[in-house]
Amino acid sequence: MGIICYLLQVYLLVLLVRILLSWFPISGGGAMGSLYRVLEAVTEPVLAPLRGVLPPVRFGAVALDLSPLVVFFGIQILLAFLCR
């Protein structure tokens, strides 16, 4: 179970960094753009199916994507059960 716990923790970190970077405008050509594309490639296979089931929450003209939060808390629950 040690390697699974480690991989889940690393995935949580990757997801958290992607969430934080999504708050800032990032140009596609720089180093940050490359980093964001890598983070997107790692996290999108998990987030995309959840987005299909969970629509964004509307706050006027703004839509909040809840899929990263659901995945984040889901992994936290897995860690609590698997990695005591």
Side-chain angles (χ1 to χ4, degrees):
M1 287 290 181
I3 189 74
I4 293 171
C5 295
Y6 176 75
L7 290 174
L8 286 172
Q9 289 173 344
V10 169
Y11 196 83
L12 270 181
L13 180 62
V14 168
L15 184 62
L16 183 63
V17 171
R18 179 179 174 183
I19 292 168
L20 292 175
L21 285 180
S22 72
W23 294 347
F24 302 100
I26 298 173
S27 64
M32 291 302 282
S34 297
L35 173 64
Y36 190 77
R37 282 190 299 277
V38 169
L39 295 174
E40 194 174 40
V42 171
T43 57
E44 197 60 25
V46 175
L47 296 176
L50 193 54
R51 271 193 209 107
V53 176
L54 185 67
V57 176
R58 290 269 187 212
F59 294 107
V62 177
L64 180 64
D65 180 15
L66 296 178
S67 61
L69 290 174
V70 171
V71 171
F72 190 85
F73 288 122
I75 292 174
Q76 290 285 4
I77 292 168
L78 279 174
L79 284 170
F81 284 113
L82 296 176
C83 309
R84 295 181 185 200

